[in-house]
Amino acid sequence: MVLYICSQRQSGMQIDPEVHFTKMDRIGKGSFGEVYKGIDNDTQKVVAIKIIDLEEAEDEIEDIQQEIMVLSQCDSPFVTKYFGSYLKGSKLWIIMEYLGGGSALDLMKAGPFSENDIAIILREILKGLDYLHSERKLHRDIKAANVLLSENGDVKLADFGVAGQLTNTTNKRNTFVGTPFWMAPEVIKQSAYDTKADIWSLGITAIELAKGEPPNSDLHPMRVLFLIPKNNPPQLTGNYSKSFKEFVELCLNKDPNNRPSARELLRHPFIRRARKTTYLQDLIDRYKRWKMEKGDEDSDSSSDEEVHEEDMTVDWIMTIKEADQDLKERLHHNGDIDQHHPLPSKTYNQNMPHSGVEKQASAKRPAPPVPGQNHVDHNVSLDE
């Protein structure tokens, strides 16, 4: 921890954050910290303030360091902005861009997305991936929970706790990280992988946005880890457009060499038809109305009550940091696993929300659309 604190001193660690920022409503609570809406007292701009107790989060220090390092190196309108880190006592304040529209996972709670909405979101994710990949960075955890929206409909990638870097001497990674349902076959098999692993996760995310949940979400996450390398790739089924289904099929090619790059996918007909991001404001407004009608029962309380343990075990959105050795061996040798096999200890790292309005720790699965139903809105212009 000493090395971590010293390495951050130049980022403003000696400054008292309570002088420069006003902490307001709590907008999220994770397994080792809280996120608040706040005000930068110097600029009067709204920011998101993540406060982490380093004494309680010793096991997560590496992830926190990784996230700060990656975000501090990013400068893109498609990636959540990082403004600085400040240490006060054992509390680390991480100042981030505030995104008040919620995550894509949040917005699905209010109802299914249309194909037009999905095309916009996927295009913006692709722009973020194109930027990251051009910087030789891998996100490694693309999913709806990690896609945040501003109140204006801007779409940005978030949660870089497991992001990876490809250096001039390392063109492939072999670290076992990600979220089971979204993980590419080559990552699970511990083969060398590169930016194409993010493209597979994007394809799974596309199905998630259409259906309300990723493929195999009814199965135990550990079971899914063994099925993904063995089974044929998931397909988008139902009454969706041919163009949308083809896009998903391109992403979910089991041979990473045959998957298009993010830049190539930006030229796909399904993506090229996507409208402006301002159209996503309708989804954000719908979600706000839904929250009001539900009495805001899903949102995080501004009180200091603890998050219930059962709320911290939503398997389908949890991120694997590293597998235990037994699991690695069985995956590597293509072994099988019983559906009720207990989770390896310390395998999961619950996502902590960054600047979305909802806590992801207690996210509930939205009701999926009626199978076979197409949600394309044919009465709107498809202009860029």
Side-chain angles (χ1 to χ4, degrees), residues 24 35 59 80 83 144 171 197 202 241 267 309 323 353 382:
M24 300 169 67
V35 182
D59 291 342
T80 311
F83 297 130
N171 294 313
L202 177 73
S241 69
R267 298 195 291 268
E309 186 176 346
L382 299 181

Short mmCIF file of all heavy atoms in Angstrom, two decimals, residues 24 35 59 80 83 144 171 197 202 241 267 309 323 353 382:
data_model
loop_
_atom_site.label_atom_id
_atom_site.label_comp_id
_atom_site.label_asym_id
_atom_site.label_seq_id
_atom_site.Cartn_x
_atom_site.Cartn_y
_atom_site.Cartn_z
N MET A 24 -22.27 15.19 -2.17
CA MET A 24 -23.73 15.32 -2.12
C MET A 24 -24.36 13.94 -1.93
O MET A 24 -23.88 13.16 -1.12
CB MET A 24 -24.22 16.03 -3.39
CG MET A 24 -23.64 17.42 -3.58
SD MET A 24 -23.95 18.15 -5.19
CE MET A 24 -25.72 18.36 -5.12
N VAL A 35 -20.03 5.68 -4.00
CA VAL A 35 -19.96 6.71 -5.03
C VAL A 35 -20.98 7.79 -4.72
O VAL A 35 -22.14 7.50 -4.40
CB VAL A 35 -20.23 6.12 -6.43
CG1 VAL A 35 -20.11 7.21 -7.50
CG2 VAL A 35 -19.29 4.97 -6.74
N ASP A 59 -7.31 -6.09 -0.44
CA ASP A 59 -7.28 -7.10 -1.50
C ASP A 59 -7.57 -6.49 -2.87
O ASP A 59 -7.32 -7.14 -3.90
CB ASP A 59 -8.31 -8.21 -1.22
CG ASP A 59 -7.93 -9.05 -0.01
OD1 ASP A 59 -6.75 -9.00 0.38
OD2 ASP A 59 -8.81 -9.74 0.54
N THR A 80 -15.12 7.07 -19.88
CA THR A 80 -15.38 7.89 -18.69
C THR A 80 -14.13 8.66 -18.29
O THR A 80 -13.05 8.09 -18.17
CB THR A 80 -15.81 6.99 -17.52
OG1 THR A 80 -16.85 6.11 -17.95
CG2 THR A 80 -16.31 7.83 -16.37
N PHE A 83 -10.53 12.63 -13.30
CA PHE A 83 -10.03 13.97 -13.02
C PHE A 83 -8.92 14.00 -11.98
O PHE A 83 -8.21 14.99 -11.89
CB PHE A 83 -11.19 14.86 -12.55
CG PHE A 83 -12.25 15.06 -13.61
CD1 PHE A 83 -13.60 14.86 -13.32
CD2 PHE A 83 -11.92 15.44 -14.90
CE1 PHE A 83 -14.57 15.04 -14.28
CE2 PHE A 83 -12.89 15.63 -15.87
CZ PHE A 83 -14.22 15.43 -15.56
N ALA A 144 -23.32 -4.64 -20.58
CA ALA A 144 -24.23 -3.50 -20.43
C ALA A 144 -24.01 -2.75 -19.12
O ALA A 144 -24.17 -1.53 -19.07
CB ALA A 144 -25.68 -3.98 -20.54
N ASN A 171 2.20 -8.65 -27.61
CA ASN A 171 1.06 -8.45 -28.49
C ASN A 171 -0.14 -9.30 -28.10
O ASN A 171 -1.19 -9.19 -28.71
CB ASN A 171 1.46 -8.78 -29.93
CG ASN A 171 2.48 -7.80 -30.45
OD1 ASN A 171 2.31 -6.59 -30.29
ND2 ASN A 171 3.55 -8.30 -31.06
N ALA A 197 -10.76 -10.22 -28.26
CA ALA A 197 -11.55 -10.73 -27.13
C ALA A 197 -12.65 -9.74 -26.75
O ALA A 197 -13.76 -10.13 -26.37
CB ALA A 197 -10.64 -10.99 -25.93
N LEU A 202 -18.46 -7.84 -27.04
CA LEU A 202 -19.41 -6.91 -27.66
C LEU A 202 -20.58 -7.67 -28.28
O LEU A 202 -21.74 -7.25 -28.17
CB LEU A 202 -18.70 -6.07 -28.72
CG LEU A 202 -19.60 -5.10 -29.49
CD1 LEU A 202 -19.99 -3.93 -28.60
CD2 LEU A 202 -18.90 -4.60 -30.75
N SER A 241 -33.74 -7.95 -37.35
CA SER A 241 -33.34 -7.75 -38.74
C SER A 241 -32.16 -8.64 -39.11
O SER A 241 -31.35 -9.03 -38.27
CB SER A 241 -32.97 -6.28 -38.96
OG SER A 241 -31.77 -5.96 -38.29
N ARG A 267 -18.14 0.14 -39.84
CA ARG A 267 -18.62 0.29 -41.22
C ARG A 267 -19.73 -0.71 -41.56
O ARG A 267 -20.21 -0.73 -42.69
CB ARG A 267 -17.44 0.12 -42.19
CG ARG A 267 -16.35 1.16 -42.02
CD ARG A 267 -15.40 1.18 -43.20
NE ARG A 267 -14.59 -0.02 -43.29
CZ ARG A 267 -13.38 -0.16 -42.74
NH1 ARG A 267 -12.85 0.85 -42.04
NH2 ARG A 267 -12.69 -1.27 -42.87
N GLU A 309 -26.22 -8.96 1.98
CA GLU A 309 -25.30 -9.92 1.37
C GLU A 309 -25.87 -10.51 0.10
O GLU A 309 -25.16 -10.71 -0.88
CB GLU A 309 -24.98 -11.03 2.38
CG GLU A 309 -23.92 -12.00 1.89
CD GLU A 309 -23.56 -13.02 2.94
OE1 GLU A 309 -23.92 -12.81 4.12
OE2 GLU A 309 -22.92 -14.02 2.58
N ALA A 323 -8.79 -16.95 -11.61
CA ALA A 323 -9.33 -18.23 -11.19
C ALA A 323 -8.36 -18.93 -10.28
O ALA A 323 -7.15 -18.73 -10.36
CB ALA A 323 -9.60 -19.08 -12.43
N PRO A 353 -20.10 0.56 -8.97
CA PRO A 353 -20.48 1.56 -9.97
C PRO A 353 -19.55 2.76 -9.92
O PRO A 353 -19.05 3.11 -8.87
CB PRO A 353 -21.91 1.94 -9.56
CG PRO A 353 -22.00 1.59 -8.12
CD PRO A 353 -21.08 0.43 -7.91
N LEU A 382 -33.56 7.77 -40.00
CA LEU A 382 -32.30 7.10 -39.69
C LEU A 382 -31.12 7.99 -40.04
O LEU A 382 -30.03 7.51 -40.34
CB LEU A 382 -32.19 5.77 -40.44
CG LEU A 382 -33.28 4.75 -40.10
CD1 LEU A 382 -33.06 3.48 -40.90
CD2 LEU A 382 -33.26 4.43 -38.62
#
